[in-house]
Amino acid sequence: MVRTQNGSLEINLEIPQMEKDEDVEYLEKASFNNNDHSQIKPDDIVVIYDMDYFQHLMETRRSYELSEDICIYLMVKFLIYLFKDKTQDFNKMECIKDLRSKMDMAVNYIYHQHIITNETSRQYYEDMSYMAHKIYQQYMEILEENHLELNSQQLELLKNKLNSIRLNLGNLPQRIIYPQCFNKQQPSLNTNEIENIFANIPKLHPTNYYKNHLELLKHRFWKSLLYEQDYSFYISIDNNMGASCTPMYYGPQNMVILFQGYLQGHIYNPKMDQLSKWSLLGFTLAHEFTHAIDTSNMLFGPDGYELDSDLGIKNHTNFQKSLECLQQQLPTDSIEERMADLMGAQVAFRAYTKEETDSQDSDKPWKKLFFLNLSKFFCGVKGFQFSGHDSNAQRLHQIVANDPVFAEAFNCPAGSKMNPVKKCRVF
């Protein structure tokens, strides 16, 4: 048992050799396959981050007279969790939401098989591969500019991270896009992996929702034991993530997940003009790419494993100044989302102008159209706010106030609210 630099506790399990008994057989059945990586091994390390809670629990456990109280406490907490985790109603829409939250990959597969045509699937993959590649190129150019004046090792760390990033289209096995190159040929879908994921779920009861709920919770826990950095898809072990269809970046796999259900409406369709595609979907993808090198995910390496150090990037004077600039303009508890918003808009604009210069009509206010279309992303139900984000108005305001192209397009006077003299830039 050792204490790590970040204050967590690491415990070597040191499991003794034992004969195969019912407990061992139970563990083996819990795995989706018989590969060694799904088993608990003697050299595995358990990392406990909340050490104070752990120590208090161990001390309390020694008081045998409190054991029953602890069991009651845990049962009550579990029942509260079940209540929050269950469906809110049994109408069709709520049942679909509940199914997506508990069997997200199955729903992704059904959507892909029955909603997406072969031609649309091919167009999706080609467009996403092209856009991801152009965003990657722009990001590498931005890092080469080295606005923060990082040293060569720090710069290389960020480049390596983006050079290894992956994009999964639909969160399905093998549906991987590598932004480092543009590939029109989409990989075939591996349905065997989907079958393996759900192979150990017993036959669900046609009318007993609560029994099924407990079975799927057990399955979700098993999934959490199977996590591997090199998986081609994201294993959701949380209902909130499983039910979501908004794009996300996951640091331990260095992967952006783009759900196919997101690719509709005014966000994207294959027949959109390039300006519309880049100002909405391009912004979204560039936003998620930024999370690969934000303050939280910077410590995950290119392969998804945690690094010992960020080589001093987060404490770099210029990096700190860039974050302070954003905070002085508009204080926030979601600084990483502000970084991603700012970089996402600027990278998407640069990628669009780089490719579409010849087709832009100088008689049309295309720069205005770019920002007006971008603003659609932040139009929503009044009062609605994404978890972990600031309000739509705050996010959009800080994007355009720090973009000199916006001030030029709309003739904003210098020093005005939309064109402050001091503008913030991160990378």
Side-chain angles (χ1 to χ4, degrees):
M1 181 181 294
V2 296
R3 191 185 299 269
T4 63
Q5 290 181 345
N6 64 6
S8 64
L9 199 66
E10 290 189 357
I11 305 172
N12 285 83
L13 293 178
E14 296 182 355
I15 301 173
Q17 295 296 320
M18 60 182 76
E19 294 182 5
K20 182 176 287 189
D21 56 17
E22 291 183 357
D23 290 335
V24 176
E25 290 178 353
Y26 178 82
L27 281 173
E28 290 180 350
K29 290 176 183 177
S31 62
F32 295 120
N33 51 52
N34 293 322
N35 294 339
D36 288 340
H37 68 255
S38 65
Q39 304 295 322
I40 298 176
K41 299 180 286 296
D43 58 349
D44 283 346
I45 293 177
V46 176
V47 180
I48 298 169
Y49 290 97
D50 196 337
M51 217 162 45
D52 292 337
Y53 179 84
F54 175 75
Q55 289 173 342
H56 177 72
L57 184 63
M58 291 299 98
E59 291 169 3
T60 306
R61 182 175 174 273
R62 295 188 187 101
S63 304
Y64 292 102
E65 67 274 10
L66 294 179
S67 295
E68 185 175 349
D69 293 339
I70 293 174
C71 290
I72 293 171
Y73 167 77
L74 292 175
M75 180 60 72
V76 170
K77 292 289 286 186
F78 181 58
L79 289 173
I80 292 172
Y81 176 83
L82 288 177
F83 180 77
K84 292 180 179 179
D85 195 60
K86 72 177 182 64
T87 184
Q88 300 304 305
D89 204 340
F90 288 100
N91 59 48
K92 289 182 179 179
M93 183 57 69
E94 290 301 322
C95 284
I96 290 173
K97 288 180 181 178
D98 197 54
L99 178 64
R100 175 161 179 79
S101 70
K102 294 176 172 60
M103 300 184 72
D104 51 301
M105 185 172 288
V107 176
N108 291 340
Y109 176 65
I110 292 170
Y111 186 90
H112 175 79
Q113 291 295 95
H114 297 279
I115 305 297
I116 307 296
T117 65
N118 289 335
E119 177 60 26
T120 303
S121 177
R122 184 197 63 77
Q123 184 67 58
Y124 279 5
Y125 188 89
E126 186 173 323
D127 272 4
M128 298 311 109
S129 181
Y130 172 77
M131 296 182 79
H133 179 54
K134 296 305 175 184
I135 288 169
Y136 163 78
Q137 286 184 324
Q138 288 307 307
Y139 237 122
M140 297 304 279
E141 287 185 16
I142 287 172
L143 290 178
E144 279 293 339
E145 293 171 9
N146 199 9
H147 169 72
L148 296 177
E149 298 180 355
L150 303 174
N151 65 42
S152 58
Q153 287 182 315
Q154 293 169 332
L155 204 58
E156 198 64 24
L157 186 151
L158 299 179
K159 287 181 180 179
N160 287 341
K161 188 71 179 291
L162 288 170
N163 200 42
S164 304
I165 198 170
R166 300 177 296 165
L167 172 65
N168 183 303
L169 179 57
N171 199 27
L172 293 168
Q174 307 305 327
R175 302 287 287 178
I176 288 290
I177 291 170
Y178 296 94
Q180 303 78 16
C181 57
F182 172 42
N183 185 11
K184 294 184 179 182
Q185 186 65 40
Q186 63 176 324
S188 58
L189 181 62
N190 189 336
T191 56
N192 289 333
E193 287 194 56
I194 301 174
E195 294 289 342
N196 289 338
I197 285 290
F198 296 105
N200 73 323
I201 297 181
K203 186 175 181 180
L204 299 178
H205 197 282
T207 59
N208 192 337
Y209 170 85
Y210 304 100
K211 179 179 183 297
N212 295 340
H213 187 188
L214 291 172
E215 290 289 357
L216 292 174
L217 278 177
K218 182 166 66 174
H219 175 256
R220 188 193 304 169
F221 174 72
W222 283 339
K223 285 198 299 184
S224 72
L225 300 177
L226 284 182
Y227 165 73
E228 291 286 343
Q229 269 85 355
D230 60 356
Y231 276 7
S232 65
F233 53 91
Y234 167 71
I235 292 183
S236 173
I237 56 173
D238 176 86
N239 263 2
N240 292 327
M241 299 307 301
S244 174
C245 66
T246 55
M248 58 171 282
Y249 171 79
Y250 188 57
Q253 288 178 275
N254 196 20
M255 186 163 67
V256 173
I257 296 96
L258 179 62
F259 299 99
Q260 291 185 129
Y262 184 77
L263 302 176
Q264 57 182 304
H266 68 273
I267 293 291
Y268 167 84
N269 72 66
K271 296 180 180 179
M272 272 182 171
D273 61 87
Q274 290 299 314
L275 184 144
S276 298
K277 286 181 180 179
W278 278 104
S279 55
L280 279 170
L281 183 59
F283 161 71
T284 304
L285 290 175
H287 173 109
E288 297 304 330
F289 271 54
T290 308
H291 282 308
I293 52 176
D294 68 17
T295 52
S296 290
N297 292 298
M298 205 177 286
L299 270 176
F300 289 105
D303 55 4
Y305 288 97
E306 197 166 349
L307 300 172
D308 294 329
S309 167
D310 66 354
L311 303 180
I313 298 176
K314 284 194 290 188
N315 293 324
H316 193 284
T317 302
N318 293 336
F319 185 74
Q320 286 295 315
K321 284 181 179 178
S322 69
L323 301 187
E324 289 168 8
C325 180
L326 291 171
Q327 291 285 14
Q328 288 169 1
Q329 278 187 347
L330 201 59
T332 179
D333 293 328
S334 307
I335 191 64
E336 289 154 348
E337 295 300 333
R338 291 281 181 86
M339 289 172 58
D341 282 343
L342 198 63
M343 292 300 302
Q346 293 176 358
V347 169
F349 183 85
R350 286 175 58 150
Y352 169 69
T353 55
K354 193 94 171 190
E355 297 303 311
E356 303 300 323
T357 304
D358 295 337
S359 64
Q360 289 158 1
D361 190 336
S362 59
D363 294 332
K364 291 183 179 180
W366 64 269
K367 291 180 181 178
K368 283 187 177 181
L369 291 176
F370 187 94
F371 287 102
L372 288 172
N373 204 53
L374 169 68
S375 68
K376 290 181 183 178
F377 181 87
F378 299 97
C379 295
V381 178
K382 186 177 181 180
F384 176 80
Q385 187 171 326
F386 284 106
S387 176
H389 296 68
D390 293 309
S391 70
N392 288 327
Q394 288 174 316
R395 294 175 67 187
L396 181 59
H397 174 212
Q398 197 157 36
I399 287 174
V400 298
N402 287 293
D403 199 320
V405 179
F406 176 86
E408 173 197 335
F410 288 88
N411 297 314
C412 301
S416 64
K417 188 176 181 181
M418 293 290 107
N419 186 17
V421 175
K422 183 180 179 182
K423 288 183 169 55
C424 303
R425 175 176 171 178
V426 186
F427 293 107

